[in-house]
Amino acid sequence: MSERRARAASKNGRKSAWRRALTPPAVPPVQPPAPPSEPQAPEPAEAGSVVQAALYRDGVRVASPVTLADTFRQLRDEPDGMAWIGLARPTESELHSLAAEFDLHPLAVEDALEAHQRPKLERYGDTLFVVLRAARYLDAPEEVDFGELHLFVGPDFVITVRHGAAPDLSAVRRRMEDTPELLKLGPEAVLYAILDSVVDGYVPVVSGVQNDIDEIETEVFRGDPEVSRRIYELSREMVEFQRATRPLVGMLHALMAGFAKYGTDEELQRYLRDVADHVTHTSERVDGFRQALTDILTVNATLVTQQQNAEMRALAEAGFEQNEEIKKISAWAAILFAPTLVGTIYGMNFEDMPELGWSFGYPFAVGLMGVVCVSLYVIFKRRDWL
């Protein structure tokens, strides 16, 4: 029997100072159900966050308690049992209750309450605290949705605290219950199964992102004006994806480094090495996606610049053609203005105009018009206005 069970078996188990600090004053010590007249811990709040709790012995489920209090009590009655407790966005009192029962470190409990943690692996005594970032690809909006999962893995318990929709731990639980020979290996086997599920969840995300990148490349060369926004949004998602996958490589190598020290089963060692290979492959793909998106953004900027230059050149050519037309119109207007001016002057019919009584007046006026028009035509022609 473990040291934790030995303490719990006594009627009034002694708690350490930090454990008493974690226990809320309103929550009484965990004990068998008291008579109706005595106050009990508020169980409705527990039922809302406890997704599923189960006790296992030799890889087989032996109990399915509804509340945390029932789980604690039944675990004490199973000397060789293991508790697997699944929580979704638990309350502070629930985590404090778990911390008091399983000697969880206050820093790990604080991280599980606050969420928004980076993926990490920390060991507090004989308890592992693991933070994972799960991901799933949403087909309709074509985007990646990220969830956060916290795990406490002890000698005889596994506690999962989920923040977000991913991953689907019920499927992991069913898979493990269908393979009791793996589940009887204990909490480390559950940790492996959850790691494997999170990493397998990256596969459809990688496929979806690859499809998005292929579509973006087509849109870039098609000249879609909205493609720049899509590239930027996908690049941000890849930054988050990279933050979720890259730390996993180091975490799994740290687990593998402790195989000999903690006596990990050889079969689990093989499974975890396989998960580590998948994580490394996924991390490399994500790094490639970021580089590809950076290159696509550069190509798109180049194509946009070329398109803008072509449009500016087209506008300049159109302006030049307009200027040429305006030159021609202006030149012909000036040529036609000269005879109009002469004809207008002689068309005033003043009595004291000397040329009106001159016999060469008419030929002189017509000749003047012709000379002025020809002179203007020659001048404009030499300047390439006509």
Side-chain angles (χ1 to χ4, degrees), residues 75-89:
L75 181 59
R76 295 193 193 99
D77 296 336
E78 291 289 340
D80 298 322
M82 179 191 72
W84 184 351
I85 303 171
L87 304 175
R89 298 184 180 90

PDB file of all heavy atoms in Angstrom, residues 75-89:
ATOM      1  N   LEU A  75     -11.566   4.731  -3.987  1.00  0.00           N
ATOM      2  CA  LEU A  75     -10.162   4.448  -4.251  1.00  0.00           C
ATOM      3  C   LEU A  75      -9.478   3.894  -3.015  1.00  0.00           C
ATOM      4  O   LEU A  75      -8.599   3.030  -3.109  1.00  0.00           O
ATOM      5  CB  LEU A  75      -9.452   5.719  -4.740  1.00  0.00           C
ATOM      6  CG  LEU A  75      -7.958   5.572  -5.090  1.00  0.00           C
ATOM      7  CD1 LEU A  75      -7.756   4.531  -6.189  1.00  0.00           C
ATOM      8  CD2 LEU A  75      -7.373   6.908  -5.502  1.00  0.00           C
ATOM      9  N   ARG A  76      -9.869   4.391  -1.825  1.00  0.00           N
ATOM     10  CA  ARG A  76      -9.296   3.864  -0.589  1.00  0.00           C
ATOM     11  C   ARG A  76      -9.673   2.402  -0.372  1.00  0.00           C
ATOM     12  O   ARG A  76      -8.919   1.642   0.246  1.00  0.00           O
ATOM     13  CB  ARG A  76      -9.765   4.699   0.600  1.00  0.00           C
ATOM     14  CG  ARG A  76      -9.284   6.134   0.593  1.00  0.00           C
ATOM     15  CD  ARG A  76      -9.527   6.796   1.943  1.00  0.00           C
ATOM     16  NE  ARG A  76      -9.345   8.236   1.825  1.00  0.00           N
ATOM     17  CZ  ARG A  76     -10.341   9.095   1.684  1.00  0.00           C
ATOM     18  NH1 ARG A  76     -11.575   8.651   1.625  1.00  0.00           N
ATOM     19  NH2 ARG A  76     -10.102  10.382   1.590  1.00  0.00           N
ATOM     20  N   ASP A  77     -10.847   2.046  -0.872  1.00  0.00           N
ATOM     21  CA  ASP A  77     -11.309   0.663  -0.711  1.00  0.00           C
ATOM     22  C   ASP A  77     -10.686  -0.277  -1.729  1.00  0.00           C
ATOM     23  O   ASP A  77     -10.934  -1.493  -1.672  1.00  0.00           O
ATOM     24  CB  ASP A  77     -12.832   0.605  -0.837  1.00  0.00           C
ATOM     25  CG  ASP A  77     -13.523   1.385   0.278  1.00  0.00           C
ATOM     26  OD1 ASP A  77     -12.887   1.559   1.340  1.00  0.00           O
ATOM     27  OD2 ASP A  77     -14.673   1.840   0.072  1.00  0.00           O
ATOM     28  N   GLU A  78      -9.938   0.265  -2.694  1.00  0.00           N
ATOM     29  CA  GLU A  78      -9.289  -0.555  -3.725  1.00  0.00           C
ATOM     30  C   GLU A  78      -7.777  -0.419  -3.568  1.00  0.00           C
ATOM     31  O   GLU A  78      -7.148   0.464  -4.160  1.00  0.00           O
ATOM     32  CB  GLU A  78      -9.720  -0.101  -5.123  1.00  0.00           C
ATOM     33  CG  GLU A  78     -11.162  -0.397  -5.467  1.00  0.00           C
ATOM     34  CD  GLU A  78     -11.388  -1.887  -5.684  1.00  0.00           C
ATOM     35  OE1 GLU A  78     -10.403  -2.618  -5.933  1.00  0.00           O
ATOM     36  OE2 GLU A  78     -12.545  -2.321  -5.605  1.00  0.00           O
ATOM     37  N   PRO A  79      -7.151  -1.272  -2.753  1.00  0.00           N
ATOM     38  CA  PRO A  79      -5.700  -1.124  -2.500  1.00  0.00           C
ATOM     39  C   PRO A  79      -4.861  -1.157  -3.767  1.00  0.00           C
ATOM     40  O   PRO A  79      -3.832  -0.483  -3.847  1.00  0.00           O
ATOM     41  CB  PRO A  79      -5.392  -2.317  -1.588  1.00  0.00           C
ATOM     42  CG  PRO A  79      -6.705  -2.705  -0.995  1.00  0.00           C
ATOM     43  CD  PRO A  79      -7.751  -2.392  -2.034  1.00  0.00           C
ATOM     44  N   ASP A  80      -5.271  -1.938  -4.763  1.00  0.00           N
ATOM     45  CA  ASP A  80      -4.492  -2.059  -5.990  1.00  0.00           C
ATOM     46  C   ASP A  80      -5.184  -1.364  -7.162  1.00  0.00           C
ATOM     47  O   ASP A  80      -4.910  -1.676  -8.321  1.00  0.00           O
ATOM     48  CB  ASP A  80      -4.284  -3.543  -6.338  1.00  0.00           C
ATOM     49  CG  ASP A  80      -3.505  -4.265  -5.245  1.00  0.00           C
ATOM     50  OD1 ASP A  80      -2.578  -3.643  -4.696  1.00  0.00           O
ATOM     51  OD2 ASP A  80      -3.843  -5.430  -4.955  1.00  0.00           O
ATOM     52  N   GLY A  81      -6.065  -0.420  -6.860  1.00  0.00           N
ATOM     53  CA  GLY A  81      -6.827   0.239  -7.914  1.00  0.00           C
ATOM     54  C   GLY A  81      -6.151   1.493  -8.444  1.00  0.00           C
ATOM     55  O   GLY A  81      -5.139   1.981  -7.912  1.00  0.00           O
ATOM     56  N   MET A  82      -6.716   1.998  -9.513  1.00  0.00           N
ATOM     57  CA  MET A  82      -6.247   3.247 -10.128  1.00  0.00           C
ATOM     58  C   MET A  82      -7.463   4.099 -10.466  1.00  0.00           C
ATOM     59  O   MET A  82      -8.441   3.600 -11.031  1.00  0.00           O
ATOM     60  CB  MET A  82      -5.448   2.960 -11.394  1.00  0.00           C
ATOM     61  CG  MET A  82      -4.952   4.225 -12.104  1.00  0.00           C
ATOM     62  SD  MET A  82      -4.298   3.894 -13.763  1.00  0.00           S
ATOM     63  CE  MET A  82      -5.807   3.540 -14.691  1.00  0.00           C
ATOM     64  N   ALA A  83      -7.394   5.376 -10.132  1.00  0.00           N
ATOM     65  CA  ALA A  83      -8.483   6.308 -10.434  1.00  0.00           C
ATOM     66  C   ALA A  83      -8.118   7.136 -11.658  1.00  0.00           C
ATOM     67  O   ALA A  83      -6.986   7.620 -11.775  1.00  0.00           O
ATOM     68  CB  ALA A  83      -8.750   7.220  -9.242  1.00  0.00           C
ATOM     69  N   TRP A  84      -9.090   7.274 -12.543  1.00  0.00           N
ATOM     70  CA  TRP A  84      -8.938   8.127 -13.727  1.00  0.00           C
ATOM     71  C   TRP A  84     -10.089   9.118 -13.699  1.00  0.00           C
ATOM     72  O   TRP A  84     -11.237   8.762 -13.919  1.00  0.00           O
ATOM     73  CB  TRP A  84      -8.962   7.270 -14.996  1.00  0.00           C
ATOM     74  CG  TRP A  84      -8.723   8.050 -16.261  1.00  0.00           C
ATOM     75  CD1 TRP A  84      -8.653   9.397 -16.411  1.00  0.00           C
ATOM     76  CD2 TRP A  84      -8.545   7.494 -17.574  1.00  0.00           C
ATOM     77  NE1 TRP A  84      -8.432   9.736 -17.720  1.00  0.00           N
ATOM     78  CE2 TRP A  84      -8.359   8.586 -18.451  1.00  0.00           C
ATOM     79  CE3 TRP A  84      -8.527   6.200 -18.084  1.00  0.00           C
ATOM     80  CZ2 TRP A  84      -8.181   8.407 -19.827  1.00  0.00           C
ATOM     81  CZ3 TRP A  84      -8.343   6.020 -19.441  1.00  0.00           C
ATOM     82  CH2 TRP A  84      -8.166   7.110 -20.307  1.00  0.00           C
ATOM     83  N   ILE A  85      -9.750  10.367 -13.389  1.00  0.00           N
ATOM     84  CA  ILE A  85     -10.752  11.414 -13.199  1.00  0.00           C
ATOM     85  C   ILE A  85     -10.619  12.425 -14.330  1.00  0.00           C
ATOM     86  O   ILE A  85      -9.540  12.984 -14.552  1.00  0.00           O
ATOM     87  CB  ILE A  85     -10.571  12.116 -11.838  1.00  0.00           C
ATOM     88  CG1 ILE A  85     -10.628  11.089 -10.704  1.00  0.00           C
ATOM     89  CG2 ILE A  85     -11.623  13.195 -11.639  1.00  0.00           C
ATOM     90  CD1 ILE A  85     -10.247  11.657  -9.351  1.00  0.00           C
ATOM     91  N   GLY A  86     -11.712  12.663 -15.042  1.00  0.00           N
ATOM     92  CA  GLY A  86     -11.728  13.641 -16.124  1.00  0.00           C
ATOM     93  C   GLY A  86     -12.552  14.853 -15.759  1.00  0.00           C
ATOM     94  O   GLY A  86     -13.729  14.730 -15.404  1.00  0.00           O
ATOM     95  N   LEU A  87     -11.940  16.031 -15.820  1.00  0.00           N
ATOM     96  CA  LEU A  87     -12.619  17.288 -15.487  1.00  0.00           C
ATOM     97  C   LEU A  87     -12.588  18.215 -16.694  1.00  0.00           C
ATOM     98  O   LEU A  87     -11.646  18.202 -17.489  1.00  0.00           O
ATOM     99  CB  LEU A  87     -11.936  17.979 -14.308  1.00  0.00           C
ATOM    100  CG  LEU A  87     -11.772  17.186 -13.013  1.00  0.00           C
ATOM    101  CD1 LEU A  87     -10.965  17.983 -12.007  1.00  0.00           C
ATOM    102  CD2 LEU A  87     -13.129  16.831 -12.435  1.00  0.00           C
ATOM    103  N   ALA A  88     -13.639  19.029 -16.802  1.00  0.00           N
ATOM    104  CA  ALA A  88     -13.711  20.046 -17.850  1.00  0.00           C
ATOM    105  C   ALA A  88     -13.961  21.393 -17.194  1.00  0.00           C
ATOM    106  O   ALA A  88     -15.004  21.595 -16.576  1.00  0.00           O
ATOM    107  CB  ALA A  88     -14.820  19.719 -18.851  1.00  0.00           C
ATOM    108  N   ARG A  89     -12.976  22.281 -17.298  1.00  0.00           N
ATOM    109  CA  ARG A  89     -13.055  23.618 -16.694  1.00  0.00           C
ATOM    110  C   ARG A  89     -13.531  23.522 -15.243  1.00  0.00           C
ATOM    111  O   ARG A  89     -14.592  24.050 -14.883  1.00  0.00           O
ATOM    112  CB  ARG A  89     -13.983  24.529 -17.508  1.00  0.00           C
ATOM    113  CG  ARG A  89     -13.516  24.762 -18.946  1.00  0.00           C
ATOM    114  CD  ARG A  89     -14.435  25.751 -19.660  1.00  0.00           C
ATOM    115  NE  ARG A  89     -13.992  25.974 -21.015  1.00  0.00           N
ATOM    116  CZ  ARG A  89     -14.389  25.256 -22.061  1.00  0.00           C
ATOM    117  NH1 ARG A  89     -15.223  24.251 -21.870  1.00  0.00           N
ATOM    118  NH2 ARG A  89     -13.943  25.506 -23.272  1.00  0.00           N
TER     119      ARG A  89
END
